[in-house]
Amino acid sequence: MAGVVAFFGGASFAVVGTVVAWSAFGGRASFDAGTTLGQAVAVGVYQGLVSVLTVGVAFAARHPAGALSVLVALLWALPSVLLGLGGDTLAAVNDRLPYGAGDHFMRVGGDGPYSSATAVLTVAAWTAAAHAIGLYVLRHRDA
């Protein structure tokens, strides 16, 4: 259920953000409807997957501070450090993390080290792993 709510929320905010950006440019920018719709759906899919990943991490951590720490490290701190240090190897590692793969997925038609399908499958794999670990911990520790 969290994934569905996050999908619709993410897609809706992507559309609202595009409208705000268009109005901020005073009509001097053009937005292709097909690309904009594709990006809005991509943002919704990514947000839905991250919300399910969050549920898995929360079940595994069993404490809000622990879950928040893991999520901040995985989705923000580690990618920032990897990209900040630079280098092709660290950039390749970042591309395999949920943030990097999601970034490539949401850039509809953009250049990336792999296709959008591979990017969304990478995020889905992280999500499935977090959910599986959370389910395992829930069944074995709280049984």
Side-chain angles (χ1 to χ4, degrees), residues 54-62 67 130-131 133-135 137-138 141-142:
T54 301
V55 170
V57 169
F59 279 140
R62 277 188 57 197
H131 217 66
I133 291 168
L135 187 60
V137 169
L138 182 67
R141 184 172 45 194
D142 296 338

Side-chain angles (χ1 to χ4, degrees), residues 21 64 102 115 119 127:
S115 68
T127 300

Side-chain angles (χ1 to χ4, degrees), residues 49-121:
L49 287 171
V50 168
S51 71
V52 175
L53 181 137
T54 301
V55 170
V57 169
F59 279 140
R62 277 188 57 197
H63 194 275
L68 187 60
S69 297
V70 169
L71 290 167
V72 164
L74 185 63
L75 296 173
W76 178 69
L78 188 57
S80 296
V81 168
L82 291 174
L83 293 176
L85 291 174
D88 293 336
T89 304
L90 295 179
V93 170
N94 182 63
D95 290 338
R96 303 312 188 259
L97 294 174
Y99 174 82
D103 183 47
H104 293 306
F105 172 64
M106 290 184 288
R107 293 178 190 227
V108 176
D111 274 343
Y114 42 76
S115 68
S116 291
T118 302
V120 76
L121 288 174

Side-chain angles (χ1 to χ4, degrees), residues 25-44:
F25 281 110
R28 292 184 302 273
S30 63
F31 296 97
D32 178 49
T35 303
T36 301
L37 180 62
Q39 286 177 326
V41 169
V43 168

Side-chain angles (χ1 to χ4, degrees), residues 9-24:
S12 299
F13 282 119
V15 170
V16 169
T18 302
V19 170
V20 169
W22 183 79
S23 65

